[in-house]
């Protein structure tokens, strides 16, 4: 890893306020879109770029921000990578979010988030905290291949259970679904069954497939060649250089997904899921001097 002094820490896109403390990732997921050349990495993806001044920048930003809101993190780089154990920057930023009364929607694949469960609980009690966990592959043997440096699916489900015990709302990202690997009805049903059991609020799913771009595609195909000989050729013949790579079973799997979610009251459209995660609770009005007149 290497350290930089960032100029800013918060981004605002379409009313969504985001924060990324790190760039790059050590989880090694074979399908990671963040490897794509369009993100203009000037260093090796596994050489994590650390924004060492992230807590100071965040405090400056929140101190001057009049409107409370949800702050999202984890969309580009997991906030609980291996280096977080040593650096603790995610925790420092969460402490600042709590201090200034903002909410947080945090996305991860790692059980390291349990280290901060007390802090997340405090944020949720004061405003709102939503923990998002990515689940792609119920079979832990396959999970170890496609997501090699992160905890198993079963362990991530245990994390969701622990959050439910604290009444911290959770969301699951069912993405990506890899053609000819985990695009089975058995896999989708198994994951959704666990989502229902542990009481997640909703499931984010953009379709049954994945996206591939320059940089990401080459890395993914090389991984397929190592672990599933001949499969990259099958992809190339079927999809060429297409950005969207849908499963041949996409229609049937989406019908199963939507049916199970609706039967169990789970949010299942991206619009509904993001609306819930971005909505900051307006439970308390700011006290005015005139309230005491």
């Amino acid at each position: 890893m290497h350290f930089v002094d960032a100029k800013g820490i918060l981004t605002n896109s379409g009313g969504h306020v985001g924060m990324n403390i790190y760039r790059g990732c050590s989880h090694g997921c074979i399908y990671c879109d963040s490897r794509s050349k369009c993100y203009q990495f000037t260093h090796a993806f596994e050489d994590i770029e650390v924004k060492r001044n992230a807590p100071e920048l965040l405090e400056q930003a929140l101190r001057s921000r009049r409107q409370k809101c949800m702050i999202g993190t984890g969309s580009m780089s997991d906030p609980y990578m291996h280096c977080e154990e040593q650096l603790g920057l995610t925790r420092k930023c969460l402490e600042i979010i709590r201090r200034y009364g903002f909410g947080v929607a945090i996305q991860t694949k790692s059980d390291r988030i349990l280290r901060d469960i007390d802090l997340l609980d405090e944020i949720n009690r004061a405003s709102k905290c939503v923990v998002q966990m990515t689940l792609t592959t119920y079979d832990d043997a396959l999970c170890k291949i496609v997501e090699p440096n992160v905890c198993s699916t079963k362990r991530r489900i245990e994390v969701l259970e622990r959050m439910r015990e604290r009444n911290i709302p959770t969301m699951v990202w069912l993405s990506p679904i890899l053609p000819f690997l985990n695009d089975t009805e058995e896999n989708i049903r198994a994951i959704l069954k666990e989502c229902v059991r542990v009481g997640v609020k909703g499931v984010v799913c953009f379709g049954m497939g994945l996206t591939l771009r320059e940089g990401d595609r080459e890395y993914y195909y090389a991984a397929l060649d190592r672990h599933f000989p001949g499969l990259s050729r099958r992809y190339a013949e079927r999809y060429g250089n297409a950005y969207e790579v849908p499963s041949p079973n996409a229609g049937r799997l989406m019908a199963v997904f939507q049916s199970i979610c609706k039967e169990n009251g789970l949010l299942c459209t991206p619009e509904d899921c993001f609306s819930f995660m971005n909505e900051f609770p307006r439970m308390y009005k700011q006290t005015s001097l005139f309230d005491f007149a």
Side-chain angles (χ1 to χ4, degrees):
M1 62 184 169
H2 64 282
F3 297 84
V4 299
D5 289 316
K7 295 181 179 179
I9 192 62
L10 295 183
T11 59
N12 196 324
S13 176
H16 169 67
V17 179
M19 170 182 72
N20 282 296
I21 301 165
Y22 304 110
R23 288 193 78 215
C25 191
S26 57
H27 285 166
C29 302
I30 68 173
Y31 51 73
C32 182
D33 176 72
S34 294
R35 291 181 180 275
S36 301
K37 286 191 175 181
C38 65
Y39 298 116
Q40 301 179 333
F41 274 82
T42 57
H43 55 86
F45 191 70
E46 290 78 9
D47 178 17
I48 309 303
E49 182 177 284
V50 179
K51 300 175 184 177
R52 58 186 162 197
N53 59 337
E56 293 80 9
L57 291 173
L58 181 62
E59 182 147 23
Q60 292 170 12
L62 299 192
R63 186 189 299 127
S64 61
R65 196 176 184 93
R66 298 183 63 183
Q67 186 80 24
K68 297 288 193 297
C69 66
M70 298 294 290
I71 297 174
T73 189
S75 61
M76 287 295 294
S77 291
D78 197 304
Y80 287 103
M81 289 182 289
H82 303 79
C83 60
E84 174 63 17
E85 290 184 12
Q86 172 188 346
L87 300 174
L89 290 177
T90 296
R91 182 171 182 85
K92 291 176 182 177
C93 288
L94 289 174
E95 289 171 342
I96 293 165
I97 289 171
R98 176 191 60 182
R99 187 183 315 142
Y100 285 91
F102 284 71
V104 67
I106 189 163
Q107 182 180 353
T108 185
K109 288 188 180 86
S110 175
D111 58 353
R112 293 184 187 89
I113 194 173
L114 291 175
R115 178 202 64 183
D116 296 337
I117 192 170
D118 289 346
L119 186 51
L120 297 171
D121 192 4
E122 291 176 19
I123 294 172
N124 192 53
R125 290 174 183 272
S127 55
K128 183 179 177 182
C129 172
V130 182
V131 170
Q132 307 158 68
M133 189 66 70
T134 300
L135 305 178
T136 64
T137 307
Y138 190 73
D139 180 347
D140 276 342
L142 180 57
C143 177
K144 187 63 178 175
I145 294 173
V146 300
E147 299 160 347
N149 303 327
V150 69
C151 66
S152 69
T153 296
K154 306 300 189 299
R155 177 59 174 161
R156 291 178 228 172
I157 293 169
E158 290 175 4
V159 171
L160 293 170
E161 286 186 284
R162 293 283 299 279
M163 296 298 165
R164 181 187 62 178
E165 292 169 1
R166 300 289 190 110
N167 293 318
I168 298 171
T170 56
M171 304 285 287
V172 160
W173 286 69
L174 185 64
S175 174
I177 299 300
L178 310 176
F180 316 118
L181 288 175
N182 63 353
D183 59 336
T184 66
E185 185 172 333
E186 178 185 18
N187 182 50
I188 302 304
R189 287 188 179 277
I191 291 174
L192 292 178
K193 180 180 179 181
E194 291 296 271
C195 289
V196 172
R197 183 179 68 82
V198 302
V200 305
K201 179 72 176 179
V203 182
V204 180
C205 179
F206 290 100
M208 297 295 170
L210 80 159
T211 57
L212 293 174
R213 292 189 264 210
E214 185 181 4
D216 170 26
R217 181 183 295 106
E218 291 77 7
Y219 188 87
Y220 181 62
Y221 280 7
L224 293 183
D225 288 339
R226 287 195 306 274
H227 300 289
F228 310 99
L231 188 53
S232 67
R233 187 182 310 113
R234 191 175 178 185
Y235 269 74
E237 291 172 353
R238 184 179 182 93
Y239 302 109
N241 288 327
Y243 170 63
E244 294 185 356
V245 182
S247 164
N249 306 318
R252 177 168 56 85
L253 295 179
M254 278 303 293
V256 169
F257 164 74
Q258 292 168 349
S259 175
I260 293 175
C261 287
K262 290 176 181 178
E263 286 173 6
N264 292 280
L266 303 183
L267 300 177
C268 62
T269 68
E271 295 78 13
D272 287 345
C273 291
F274 284 111
S275 177
F276 172 76
M277 288 189 283
N278 292 331
E279 182 182 13
F280 185 82
R282 307 296 174 189
M283 292 181 282
Y284 309 105
K285 66 175 182 176
Q286 187 173 3
T287 301
S288 165
L289 292 174
F290 297 104
D291 290 341
F292 299 97

